[in-house]
Amino acid sequence: MKTEVGPIIVVPHTHWDREWYLPFQRFRLRLVSLLDGVVDRMADDPRWRFTLDGQMAAVDDYLEIRPERREEVAALVREGRLAVGPWQILHDEFLCSGETIVRNLELGLRRAEELGAAMMVGYLPDQFGHCAQTPQILRLAGLEHACVWRGVPSLVREHAFAWEAPDGTVIRTQYLPEGGYGNAASMFEDGAFEDGASEGRAAAFAEAMSRWHPRGGPLLAMYGADHTAPAADLADRVAASGFGMRLDTLGGYLAMVGPSVEGLTRVRGELRSHARANILPGVISARVRLKQLMGQGERLVERYAEPLAALWYAGDARRFLDLAWRRLVEVSCHDSVTGCGADETAEQVAARAAEAGQLGRAVRDLALERWAGGVPLGGHLVFNPSPRARRGVVVVEVPYGGGDGLAPGDGLVSGEGRPVPVQVLETAPTVLDDAVHPASDLPLLLERVYGRFLYGQEVRDWSVSRADRTLTFHVTARADTPFDVGAVREALRGADGDWRLRILADPRRTVAALVSAPALGLTAVAPASATAEVDGPVVADASTLDNGLLRAEVREDGTLRLRTPSGVVIEGAGRVVDGGDLGDTYNYAPPARDRLIETPLAVRVRPVWAGPLVAALDIVRTYRWPASDTSPDEEDITVTMRAELRAGEPFLRLRVTFDNRCDDHRVRLHVPLPRRAASSFAEGQFAVVERGTAAEGGFGERPVPTYPASAFVAAGGLAVLLEHVTEYELTGDGSELALTLLRSVGYLSRDRNAYRDQPAGPQLPTPQAQCRGERTVGLALLPLDGVQHPGPEVLEAAEEYRHDLAATAGYGPVGAPVPPSREGLSVAGRGVVMTSLRPRDGGWIEVRIVAQTPEPATAVLRGPFTEAARADPRGRPAEPLGARDGTLTLALRPWEIATVRLRTA
């Protein structure tokens, strides 16, 4: 017996790429025209419904140009006829942090509710796959439905499925088969309702969709496409069409079917299958610089600016923080940080990402400024961004030898009076200028003094000797003595003959200091004559680094042999492989005859630092790479890989730098594994996801097993710690990891791509996507002792690698006592990770933690708080929690995301 389906619910919408093959402002011009028409028609015809792509950015961009129409738009939203939100922007779920996803949803919901109401549907129509924790994020924010297209695996055979997050949270998810968000885009084309075509098109649609509705029910007809407006007479056409067809919003349709997941196929974790649609995995490595800027901006805001503003700043910096988050959210757009837009678009994205980082740095400096005034001149204030006590290396500039009235000596001392181990990295010159000039030039030379700055430092004092015609300036990093350049001019009045101008700097050195700092707290160090020995010093020779936890030896071919005291050995780490890439910003595609180059022409090793805190070697390799796939020319390319070990760190830091002068190629760093692996584990977006060595195919795209990782990827006894989202592949039948350093391509999309049947966009030249110029990528290698799933030691190592201690120069009185360390907030628990700490109104702060472990976890929070309460990701308080004596203990499910509000004392 055939199951009855129907009616057909038509959802008019537009998929609005805020910026893509055109830059933002050029697309916005089209947006304003489109929405003018939609709002006019909705005002004239009460039958009209419209869904505005699930993102508030389109509304904000429109109302910025048409502020006089705000009330009209708000009225349509309140009536439920115009569906807006819940997102601020349609993000790429793998190229931003989990925290950025939460803030995106928080901002979008707030903006939509200010306008009248938010569409409470996790509408994700065009993202290039979906991250594992999306169901939990949506449910915690109060959403009961998701709606997706790309990435759905072949086991889904109905129009809906039960999508399960790693913690067990399940959400009903509407799948958009038969064309995705445009499955009914051609149903109402001009001429479609002539000569009976109306009934034929509707019947064909109903037949195609009924295959996905074995249980019956209403059919979802998504009438819209990229940057398109609905037909002006749509309401009339729908009314005349039959099949019970009517207009509604996406939220209206899902309200009809309800949130139940009973009987639905269950899919757990991330959605990255190529079975039913392209997921365009090459965006992970297109324009790598955008990923670097995004990662840097997120860390500065999430882990430095906000925690400092919450714990250590008495003023209100939230306007700056809100602006930083708005920029990060804008950059996270699925055609922005992905790098799959025009060159003009990429330039604007890079500028916004950089601005977010600048805002984060500004707030960090603002918060630290207050406390740096209590640290004596020549000393430094150090902030620990981690929620546990740490000992780490900071690089600071310090006076030595008694310059500018400070105590002589080469050491540092903490506020508790403990000597701090130091290592001199560089000694600055003391004579910055010493030359003879005619007296007539002296007025011009004094113009070099800007305020009190001269040669990048501040004038500490000066002297004029008429006897030997000498003008001397003493400069220092920061001076607290009065200075007036007018007094210098007066002292030189009437000078004649030749004068000697000397500019002398106080003796200063750049040193590495091994500083201990409390959890999310402040500590200070100042120059002293005392020195301290290092426990477990780093030692180095011409080709070896060793800190007792890890030994690294440079081999003849420039690769590294790593060995741990427990016997883990990695041979040949750091092999650089260059190959062709005739793909585009969406998909990698090798030439038919690819030429892989991995053997250097020459190798040399340069010692940099010899310990005892930091030891480093520069491994310089020269290669000859093809200038392009179509050119017989070759380029001599020098790749410099700095290998660095620090005292107490069980991982080797690597920084790879080269000048890219070639086109259409891919450069990867290969690291053999201690043992063969059948799967990899990649951190990202509140989870650690296990992936196999093959991806599911079935559509018109080659299912390459290249994947994104955020903080780290681990496999076969090795973890690679990362500074930003990085593309990786488990290669050689699971014997090594390959990490993409650069993918250099010349087209937004190619109509003919060997790894993709369909174009992904216009065939638009993108010469800047060749990424010419100097490229630098940092990462670290952490050998593991027989660990299958990455344990707490990997999470802790990634935390330390990604979040250095931050130091700022003190400017208090010379000789003032060094202030003692100040405790912040600590978060302890096996596998428990802090992802956010920010200020809230009314003396509250908010901390977000995640149990990044397959086992239940217990989080223990300690700090200056008197009350605690659960909250949702939007910051709305829920049930109170028992906090006693500044301590809160919280039981967490595996992979649970928990948001907690704390009232500070």
Side-chain angles (χ1 to χ4, degrees):
M1 177 173 145
K2 186 175 179 180
T3 303
E4 293 295 325
V5 295
I8 297 177
I9 307 302
V10 179
V11 175
H13 74 98
T14 186
H15 175 56
W16 198 262
D17 300 296
R18 191 171 188 254
E19 54 193 357
W20 181 23
Y21 59 83
L22 294 177
F24 162 58
Q25 296 296 358
R26 293 182 66 186
F27 265 138
R28 174 149 76 167
L29 199 67
R30 298 182 181 186
L31 173 70
V32 171
S33 176
L34 183 150
L35 288 183
D36 277 346
V38 168
V39 174
D40 287 344
R41 285 189 285 274
M42 295 185 79
D44 294 340
D45 190 339
R47 296 173 296 174
W48 264 77
R49 302 290 186 273
F50 194 74
T51 298
L52 196 49
D53 206 29
Q55 53 180 334
M56 279 301 298
V59 184
D60 291 341
D61 293 342
Y62 175 70
L63 292 179
E64 188 175 23
I65 305 299
R66 295 279 191 263
E68 71 277 7
R69 305 204 73 168
R70 188 183 191 283
E71 185 49 41
E72 288 179 80
V73 172
L76 294 171
V77 172
R78 290 192 296 268
E79 293 168 12
R81 297 170 59 205
L82 178 62
V84 298
W87 304 101
Q88 180 63 21
I89 210 159
L90 292 180
H91 55 294
D92 185 282
E93 296 178 40
F94 294 97
L95 290 175
C96 63
S97 70
E99 196 60 38
T100 297
I101 296 175
V102 169
R103 304 304 179 93
N104 183 2
L105 186 57
E106 175 189 340
L107 179 58
L109 287 169
R110 183 174 73 243
R111 293 287 299 116
E113 289 169 357
E114 289 171 358
L115 207 59
M119 179 177 73
M120 298 299 285
V121 176
Y123 185 45
L124 302 161
D126 198 29
Q127 278 84 342
F128 308 149
H130 305 279
C131 68
Q133 290 281 34
T134 296
Q136 186 179 179
I137 294 170
L138 294 176
R139 288 300 298 270
L140 286 172
L143 281 69
E144 296 183 315
H145 293 271
C147 183
V148 303
W149 171 33
R150 303 185 192 269
V152 174
S154 60
L155 65 89
V156 173
R157 300 180 183 275
E158 298 184 40
H159 69 105
F161 62 96
W163 187 9
E164 183 180 355
D167 76 312
T169 297
V170 179
I171 192 168
R172 184 193 181 278
T173 303
Q174 183 75 27
Y175 172 47
L176 299 174
E178 305 294 334
Y181 57 83
N183 65 2
S186 62
M187 187 181 294
F188 303 105
E189 289 178 349
D190 290 342
F193 285 77
E194 298 174 3
D195 302 324
S198 165
E199 185 174 346
R201 285 179 182 267
F205 177 85
E207 181 180 357
M209 292 299 294
S210 65
R211 295 194 293 267
W212 296 90
H213 287 256
R215 310 163 198 267
L219 305 181
L220 175 60
M222 297 294 291
Y223 172 59
D226 295 357
H227 315 117
T228 59
D233 58 348
L234 176 64
D236 292 335
R237 295 186 181 193
V238 168
S241 64
F243 287 89
M245 197 177 292
R246 65 179 177 83
L247 297 178
D248 209 335
T249 64
L250 179 61
Y253 169 83
L254 292 173
M256 294 175 59
V257 300
S260 173
V261 297
E262 184 177 355
L264 296 180
T265 299
R266 184 163 294 220
V267 179
R268 181 179 173 86
E270 68 180 7
L271 306 179
R272 287 195 63 87
S273 171
H274 305 253
R276 304 195 183 281
N278 295 337
I279 64 168
L280 312 169
V283 300
I284 305 165
S285 51
R287 305 186 197 260
V288 169
R289 178 61 178 157
L290 296 182
K291 285 66 173 176
Q292 292 175 314
L293 288 169
M294 183 70 174
Q296 182 182 59
E298 287 177 325
R299 288 197 305 277
L300 279 167
V301 176
E302 294 173 10
R303 299 300 307 277
Y304 293 88
E306 281 196 329
L308 279 164
L311 295 173
W312 300 109
Y313 184 59
D316 187 356
R318 282 175 293 180
R319 291 292 181 90
F320 291 98
L321 294 170
D322 289 347
L323 186 56
W325 274 114
R326 187 173 281 274
R327 293 292 179 268
L328 288 171
V329 168
E330 289 174 350
V331 171
S332 73
C333 184
H334 69 291
D335 288 313
S336 299
V337 68
T338 47
C340 56
D343 285 347
E344 285 181 290
T345 296
E347 289 174 356
Q348 291 184 324
V349 173
R352 292 192 208 108
E355 187 179 348
Q358 292 157 8
L359 285 161
R361 188 176 289 108
V363 173
R364 180 198 68 183
D365 295 347
L366 179 69
L368 290 175
E369 181 83 5
R370 170 196 171 195
W371 297 95
V375 178
L377 195 66
H380 287 80
L381 178 71
V382 178
F383 169 63
N384 175 13
S386 298
R388 62 180 179 83
R390 276 177 59 185
R391 195 182 194 203
V393 170
V394 294
V395 177
V396 295
E397 190 179 78
V398 297
Y400 74 97
D404 62 11
L406 297 171
D410 296 329
L412 292 173
V413 66
S414 71
E416 288 71 36
R418 292 191 296 268
V420 176
V422 297
Q423 173 190 336
V424 176
L425 303 179
E426 184 179 354
T427 300
T430 55
V431 179
L432 305 184
D433 196 359
D434 190 346
V436 176
H437 304 270
S440 59
D441 287 352
L442 291 178
L444 180 61
L445 293 173
L446 290 180
E447 293 297 326
R448 297 177 183 174
V449 181
Y450 182 75
R452 70 179 304 150
F453 284 93
L454 183 60
Y455 280 65
Q457 300 189 48
E458 296 186 9
V459 177
R460 175 169 59 82
D461 60 40
W462 57 276
S463 62
V464 171
S465 173
R466 287 185 173 269
D468 54 9
R469 289 191 173 93
T470 301
L471 168 62
T472 303
F473 287 99
H474 286 94
V475 297
T476 191
R478 192 158 186 167
D480 60 356
T481 54
F483 172 73
D484 179 8
V485 72
V488 183
R489 291 193 180 98
E490 185 63 29
L492 292 171
R493 186 184 297 277
D496 57 7
D498 290 339
W499 279 70
R500 182 185 183 190
L501 173 64
R502 295 192 306 159
I503 302 172
L504 307 179
D506 287 326
R508 303 190 70 80
R509 285 176 171 168
T510 301
V511 303
L514 190 58
V515 177
S516 297
L520 286 163
L522 305 174
T523 193
V525 294
S529 57
T531 59
E533 296 294 326
V534 183
D535 295 330
V538 189
V539 295
D541 59 27
S543 62
T544 304
L545 308 172
D546 195 331
N547 67 354
L549 301 174
L550 183 62
R551 181 178 177 84
E553 303 169 8
V554 183
R555 308 195 321 176
E556 289 186 359
D557 63 355
T559 62
L560 294 156
R561 181 177 191 265
L562 306 182
R563 186 176 62 193
T564 69
S566 62
V568 178
V569 176
I570 298 171
E571 297 280 3
R575 190 171 84 257
V576 175
V577 180
D578 177 72
D581 188 345
L582 293 184
D584 47 42
T585 60
Y586 290 101
N587 293 81
Y588 160 79
R593 294 184 178 180
D594 197 6
R595 181 183 173 193
L596 299 179
I597 298 173
E598 57 183 283
T599 302
L601 302 177
V603 178
R604 56 194 175 96
V605 181
R606 296 191 306 231
V608 182
W609 299 306
L613 296 183
V614 180
L617 302 169
D618 278 348
I619 305 164
V620 183
R621 287 172 281 186
T622 303
Y623 299 84
R624 189 162 292 134
W625 292 349
S628 73
D629 182 69
T630 58
S631 171
D633 296 335
E634 295 180 327
E635 293 281 351
D636 287 337
I637 303 294
T638 298
V639 178
T640 301
M641 182 171 71
R642 174 162 296 184
E644 178 182 321
L645 270 183
R646 296 182 179 181
E649 290 186 348
F651 48 84
L652 177 72
R653 296 170 181 257
L654 298 179
R655 188 156 295 275
V656 184
T657 301
F658 58 93
D659 181 9
N660 178 41
R661 300 191 302 276
C662 306
D663 292 341
D664 300 323
H665 67 126
R666 180 178 68 173
V667 184
R668 300 207 288 185
L669 188 78
H670 289 245
V671 185
L673 303 178
R675 60 180 182 276
R676 195 175 299 275
S679 62
S680 62
F681 297 86
E683 194 279 342
Q685 298 80 41
F686 303 130
V688 179
V689 178
E690 183 175 7
R691 300 173 176 135
T693 56
E696 183 185 38
F699 196 65
E701 182 178 53
R702 179 73 66 90
V704 294
T706 55
Y707 298 106
S710 294
F712 65 81
V713 56
L718 171 75
V720 182
L721 314 179
L722 304 168
E723 294 182 352
H724 54 83
V725 177
T726 300
E727 177 186 86
Y728 77 90
E729 182 180 358
L730 189 55
T731 65
D733 296 325
S735 63
E736 67 179 16
L737 282 171
L739 299 106
T740 304
L741 305 180
L742 173 78
R743 205 162 65 81
S744 174
V745 294
Y747 286 92
L748 186 149
S749 171
R750 289 181 186 261
D751 289 350
R752 296 183 63 185
N753 183 310
Y755 275 22
R756 187 188 65 240
D757 291 347
Q758 304 169 338
Q763 185 164 301
L764 179 71
T766 54
Q768 290 182 25
Q770 297 286 6
C771 303
R772 283 176 164 257
E774 185 173 285
R775 301 293 151 188
T776 299
V777 177
L779 49 85
L781 306 181
L782 173 68
L784 304 173
D785 290 328
V787 178
Q788 176 59 21
H789 191 283
E793 72 278 13
V794 181
L795 297 171
E796 292 174 6
E799 168 70 22
E800 291 193 11
Y801 174 69
R802 291 165 59 85
H803 305 108
D804 284 332
L805 302 179
T808 190
Y811 62 93
V814 172
V818 185
S821 298
R822 297 175 180 271
E823 297 279 349
L825 176 77
S826 71
V827 179
R830 184 175 176 82
V832 177
V833 174
M834 186 193 82
T835 65
S836 172
L837 172 63
R838 61 168 163 170
R840 286 293 197 179
D841 290 331
W844 292 84
I845 61 174
E846 178 186 284
V847 60
R848 192 159 10 257
I849 55 177
V850 186
Q852 287 201 347
T853 168
E855 304 296 332
T858 300
V860 180
L861 285 69
R862 293 187 174 90
F865 56 88
T866 56
E867 297 179 54
R870 282 265 195 174
D872 68 10
R874 302 170 63 184
R876 299 177 302 185
E879 78 273 13
L881 297 169
R884 298 183 59 185
D885 301 322
T887 300
L888 172 66
T889 302
L890 197 62
L892 301 174
R893 302 186 307 275
W895 311 111
E896 181 180 356
I897 305 167
T899 305
V900 179
R901 289 168 62 92
L902 305 171
R903 185 185 291 278
T904 53

